[in-house]
């Protein structure tokens, strides 16, 4: 059974809804998943313990990671993720100049640290509707197929 770690940041609950749907898809596809809220302060070394890594974050301001993800993001510079499969997702707001930049920032960091990104970043405008929740669910199922 593939071991998957999902770490997310959510302020208004939108990215958490996405994370729940992605995790459900991973489970249905036979993956063993651990879900951690970034506010719980996971140690970055936990990424090395899993075959698959999913990171979720909303985009803050004009295109930044949320503050609660910054320390973890910086600490990722100290780990090697070679051989890991990865993907990223997050809620976005098209009112800002950079749409879903946090997803792109996370994908770039995962690639920089050696992980293979196996899916394009999943971006949802604000609160996921039923169809978008299903898209998140499918995203999780599809992710497991790469492990």
């Amino acid at each position: 059974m593939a071991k998957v770690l999902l770490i997310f940041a959510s302020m208004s609950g939108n990215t958490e809804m996405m994370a729940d749907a992605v995790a459900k898809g991973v489970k249905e596809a036979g993956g063993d998943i651990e879900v951690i809220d970034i506010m719980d302060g996971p140690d970055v070394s936990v990424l090395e313990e899993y075959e698959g890594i999913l990171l979720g974050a909303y985009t803050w301001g004009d295109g930044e990671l949320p503050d609660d993800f910054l320390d973890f993001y910086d600490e990722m510079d100290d780990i090697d993720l070679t051989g890991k499969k990865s993907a990223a997702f997050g809620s976005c707001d098209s009112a800002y100049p950079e749409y879903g930049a946090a997803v792109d920032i996370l994908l770039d960091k995962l690639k920089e640290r050696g992980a293979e990104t196996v899916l394009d970043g999943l971006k949802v405008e604000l609160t996921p509707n039923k169809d978008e929740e299903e898209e998140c669910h499918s995203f999780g199922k599809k992710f497991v197929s790469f492990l």
Side-chain angles (χ1 to χ4, degrees), residues 5-8 34-47 55 68-69 71-73 75-76:
L5 176 64
L6 187 157
I7 297 177
F8 73 95
E34 180 176 0
V35 178
I36 302 174
D37 186 325
I38 197 73
M39 294 299 287
D40 292 335
D43 189 282
V44 73
S45 65
V46 73
L47 296 173
L55 299 179
D68 40 351
F69 223 112
D71 288 342
F72 189 87
Y73 175 85
E75 291 166 8
M76 286 177 71

Side-chain angles (χ1 to χ4, degrees), residues 51 53 81-87 107 110-111 113-119 143 146:
E51 298 167 63
I53 300 165
L81 299 177
T82 302
K84 309 290 184 188
K85 308 294 185 196
S86 67
L107 286 172
L110 288 162
K111 289 177 197 172
R113 303 313 312 146
E116 177 187 355
T117 54
V118 296
L119 295 171
F143 183 75
F146 291 100

Side-chain angles (χ1 to χ4, degrees), residues 43-119:
D43 189 282
V44 73
S45 65
V46 73
L47 296 173
E48 298 172 319
E49 300 171 20
Y50 293 83
E51 298 167 63
I53 300 165
L54 293 162
L55 299 179
Y58 60 95
T59 299
W60 182 248
D62 289 331
E64 298 93 36
L65 280 175
D67 288 346
D68 40 351
F69 223 112
L70 292 178
D71 288 342
F72 189 87
Y73 175 85
D74 290 340
E75 291 166 8
M76 286 177 71
D77 288 339
D78 299 329
I79 60 170
D80 180 6
L81 299 177
T82 302
K84 309 290 184 188
K85 308 294 185 196
S86 67
F89 63 92
S91 64
C92 311
D93 187 341
S94 59
Y96 293 106
E98 299 266 348
Y99 185 74
V103 174
D104 301 327
I105 291 168
L106 291 173
L107 286 172
D108 288 345
K109 179 62 82 173
L110 288 162
K111 289 177 197 172
E112 174 189 306
R113 303 313 312 146
E116 177 187 355
T117 54
V118 296
L119 295 171

